[in-house]
Amino acid sequence: MSKEKLIIFDTTLRDGEQSPGASMTAEEKLRIAKALEKMKVDIIEAGFPISSEGDFLAVQGIAREIKDSVVCGLARAGALDINRAGEALKDANNASRIHTFIATSPLHMRDKLQMTPDQVFDQAVSAVKLARNFTDNVEFSPEDAGRSDLDFLCRVIEAVIKAGATTINIPDTVGYNLPQQYGETIRQLIERIPNSGKAIFSTHCHNDLGMAVANSLAGVMNGARQVECSINGLGERAGNAALEEIVMAVRTRQDMLPCDVHVDSTQIMTCSRLVSGITGFAVQPNKAIVGANAFAHESGIHQDGVLKSRETYEIMRAEDVGLSSNKLVLGKLSGRSAFKDRLETLNISIDSEEELNSAFRRFKDLADKKSEIFDEDIQALVSNFKMEASFAEAIKLISIKACSETGETPQASITLLIDDEEKSASSEGGGLVDATFKAIEKIISSDADLQIYSVSNVTKGTDSLGEVAVRLEKAGRIVNGQGSDTDIVIASAKAYINALNRLLSPSKRIHPQAYEGV
Ligand code: KIV
Ligand code: ZN
């Protein structure tokens, strides 16, 4: 007998986007949504339509385009939010869902909402009724459920199910719960609420204590049949439950779990790289499932064991998460059709002949510098190329010259194109990257604070593409920028300029968990 289905609800484009600096353009979100659809994710939470015009358009575009996953929009429990979400989803190609929420913990009701429990109860019920005018697929979340009173939760949830909510999501908003406690909450809610059988219960666990995946699985063991999660665990603060960890834990431990996921796990690596490339959030090497070391066997004892019998030290197969063993792909002499073929194998969609030609030109430039081109190189190359194409860049890099010599102060000279005008500057610095950033700042004077600078190599070897991530902060606004090149000084300049372009583009967003204006 086949097991019950565990619904995978991806919130990379909504809760994930709430990570500082992870905001994405509508085109970037659509690209991720298509990759999630290809992975056969059941539900894609595409955004929070009232938060900005850009997010409204992103949710609308994704809803119009996606055919195989349900597209969901978030709305606080108020008419303005719900009407806006309904509007964004109205031309959905497939089924759509409105996800509405209001906080139920004593702390949030008193200090954030300044509402009584009875007012929260009434607003939750009205919100669900209103959302049902747009779709019969309505999810309700009692925000901060992890610190809410169980009797009050039972009262609210029973009423919202009666009002038409079909999914009840239980957020551990601040990542405070322990697995046994969270599992017990789910079990008690399902047992005590008389009409609980009319809704699917869902988990939404934050990772502040590193417990998000364990808590979600405890929820599943106790009756939840939807897990909210995100690629690479992206999300507010320490993030959400990582989709790849949930999927592989459920697949690998079928002996212990009462249900199964229907996603295509071989798409995991492609999605992980896509999300990290677009957001600039590098994946730590020892990250479960998608980290560079997750399937690498360093120690001699382990290698020996794995060669004799894979199961000695490997509980999953690298192929099942989309890591192909045949990694060497193209070289200098590879032609356009081999390149196109490889893009198809890697599920990288190219929208026009012109785009293919530009991507191929960049591939040839890279092949001149690097003899062996790996899948990761192609992914990084196309990701960067798409990012530049999707973004109105006010500042462009024309050229850079950087010199360092033992005993001399490093120097960099840079020429930028700013609104069709070339501007140049030179600077000294503690190192070449420092001199380069100072030269750029001489031209731009952004006054931004550099919060993060990190370099990682895309593949092995000193001729690898270096991928640089930069985070800038100015007046409370945080942006991330990325750049890649075989020369890390150039990659650094590209990343810094990319971040500046994002910082200079207008952005006004409402945060969903700030409650003004509902
Ligand atoms: O963490 C949270 O409570 C949320 C809600 C909006 C579901 O993200
Ligand atoms: Zn959340």
Side-chain angles (χ1 to χ4, degrees):
M1 205 181 73
S2 72
K3 283 193 176 170
E4 265 183 87
K5 177 178 182 178
L6 178 63
I7 297 168
I8 295 294
F9 175 115
D10 178 275
T11 186
T12 310
L13 302 177
R14 199 279 297 170
D15 211 312
E17 206 197 15
Q18 286 171 220
S19 313
S23 72
M24 305 167 219
T25 65
E27 191 277 336
E28 288 167 340
K29 283 186 142 198
L30 181 59
R31 236 174 334 127
I32 294 175
K34 284 185 176 168
L36 293 170
E37 181 185 36
K38 193 155 205 159
M39 200 200 276
K40 300 195 172 61
V41 157
D42 301 289
I43 300 162
I44 299 171
E45 188 166 47
F48 174 41
I50 200 148
S51 68
S52 68
E53 183 61 16
D55 216 33
F56 174 86
L57 294 173
V59 176
Q60 187 179 58
I62 291 169
R64 286 179 176 164
E65 195 87 15
I66 295 298
K67 294 188 282 297
D68 299 328
S69 309
V70 174
V71 175
C72 174
L74 182 74
R76 292 167 299 185
L80 287 178
D81 280 43
I82 293 170
N83 291 336
R84 196 77 178 136
E87 178 67 21
L89 295 167
K90 90 172 185 304
D91 300 328
N93 208 326
N94 190 12
S96 62
R97 171 181 291 188
I98 294 179
H99 174 191
T100 186
F101 73 98
I102 188 163
T104 49
S105 65
L107 189 66
H108 276 228
M109 290 192 288
R110 189 190 63 228
D111 292 353
K112 180 175 93 164
L113 304 177
Q114 292 169 348
M115 287 166 81
T116 64
D118 283 345
Q119 287 170 323
V120 167
F121 176 92
D122 290 343
Q123 195 156 331
V125 172
S126 320
V128 169
K129 284 188 179 154
L130 180 60
R132 280 296 300 233
N133 294 334
F134 295 96
T135 168
D136 55 11
N137 191 340
V138 173
E139 172 171 328
F140 174 77
S141 292
E143 189 194 353
D144 204 19
R147 293 187 297 173
S148 298
D149 172 67
L150 203 68
D151 290 339
F152 183 57
L153 275 183
C154 287
R155 192 177 147 227
V156 172
I157 294 171
E158 181 180 350
V160 294
I161 295 177
K162 206 158 152 213
T166 46
T167 298
I168 299 297
N169 180 45
I170 305 300
D172 180 21
T173 303
V174 289
Y176 179 68
N177 286 178
L178 300 180
Q180 203 259 351
Q181 176 191 19
Y182 185 79
E184 186 58 17
T185 302
I186 298 279
R187 192 183 66 75
Q188 293 238 7
L189 290 173
I190 294 176
E191 252 173 44
R192 285 177 51 180
I193 296 169
N195 55 0
S196 64
K198 293 197 169 133
I200 288 177
F201 278 71
S202 163
T203 67
H204 180 108
C205 299
H206 280 270
N207 205 31
D208 300 65
L209 294 174
M211 226 75 75
V213 170
N215 283 349
S216 308
L217 293 176
V220 173
M221 301 280 210
N222 284 281
R225 288 295 174 267
Q226 172 178 289
V227 171
E228 301 200 354
C229 45
S230 60
I231 301 288
N232 300 338
L234 202 64
E236 193 86 62
R237 304 179 310 280
N240 281 82
L243 179 147
E244 61 278 7
E245 294 177 25
I246 296 286
V247 166
M248 292 315 288
V250 173
R251 279 276 156 82
T252 308
R253 295 311 308 268
Q254 274 296 291
D255 57 328
M256 296 295 287
L257 282 143
C259 47
D260 198 1
V261 290
H262 289 193
V263 300
D264 175 1
S265 66
T266 65
Q267 297 298 317
I268 283 178
M269 280 315 297
T270 305
C271 279
S272 167
R273 285 186 190 131
L274 183 64
V275 169
S276 107
I278 284 177
T279 59
F281 278 63
V283 173
Q284 78 199 52
N286 59 334
K287 163 84 180 61
I289 317 293
V290 293
N293 292 352
F295 290 89
H297 293 275
E298 196 69 59
S299 91
I301 295 173
H302 285 206
Q303 281 179 5
D304 180 54
V306 169
L307 286 177
K308 285 182 182 138
S309 159
R310 191 183 59 80
E311 287 81 16
T312 47
Y313 286 101
E314 268 186 23
I315 57 165
M316 296 167 276
R317 296 182 325 153
E319 304 87 280
D320 292 344
V321 302
L323 271 171
S324 64
S325 41
N326 175 20
K327 281 179 133 201
L328 174 58
V329 262
L330 304 171
K332 199 177 160 86
L333 300 175
S334 305
R336 195 168 169 282
S337 65
F339 177 66
K340 195 172 166 210
D341 257 19
R342 202 62 208 166
L343 292 179
E344 276 160 22
T345 311
L346 292 172
N347 297 319
I348 298 173
S349 62
I350 289 282
D351 300 328
S352 62
E353 276 302 292
E354 200 187 317
E355 202 172 281
L356 177 64
N357 291 340
S358 322
F360 184 59
R361 259 197 310 278
R362 290 194 186 210
F363 160 73
K364 281 289 182 189
D365 288 347
L366 182 61
D368 277 341
K369 299 180 199 154
K370 192 172 184 294
S371 52
E372 296 169 331
I373 309 252
F374 296 86
D375 288 349
E376 290 88 338
D377 293 315
I378 297 182
Q379 267 152 341
L381 179 146
V382 177
S383 216
N384 266 272
F385 156 75
K386 290 228 184 209
M387 181 176 67
E388 285 164 28
S390 75
F391 207 75
E393 289 185 304
I395 311 165
K396 290 195 168 80
L397 174 66
I398 301 275
S399 66
I400 174 165
K401 186 174 166 200
C403 310
S404 91
E405 195 180 332
T406 323
E408 297 294 327
T409 310
Q411 301 241 355
S413 307
I414 193 139
T415 303
L416 304 176
L417 187 68
I418 303 168
D419 297 329
D420 293 329
E421 198 188 328
E422 279 193 22
K423 293 193 175 160
S424 302
S426 302
S427 179
E428 296 183 333
L432 290 181
V433 173
D434 186 44
T436 302
F437 287 6
K438 283 184 173 138
I440 296 172
E441 276 302 326
K442 271 193 178 167
I443 303 174
I444 308 292
S445 308
S446 76
D447 219 17
D449 179 37
L450 176 67
Q451 294 195 327
I452 294 180
Y453 168 77
S454 78
V455 192
S456 52
N457 47 336
V458 172
T459 55
K460 287 187 190 141
T462 47
D463 67 348
S464 163
L465 272 181
E467 222 166 24
V468 175
V470 158
R471 177 180 290 180
L472 297 179
E473 189 269 340
K474 186 175 178 184
R477 181 149 173 238
I478 293 175
V479 293
N480 290 325
Q482 308 91 50
S484 65
D485 200 281
T486 48
D487 181 322
I488 58 159
V489 178
I490 299 177
S492 303
K494 285 180 180 171
Y496 196 79
I497 292 167
N498 181 242
L500 285 174
N501 275 317
R502 287 176 190 259
L503 197 64
L504 299 177
S505 74
S507 158
K508 195 171 179 310
R509 295 171 72 89
I510 302 171
H511 190 288
Q513 282 145 327
Y515 215 69
E516 289 87 47
V518 187

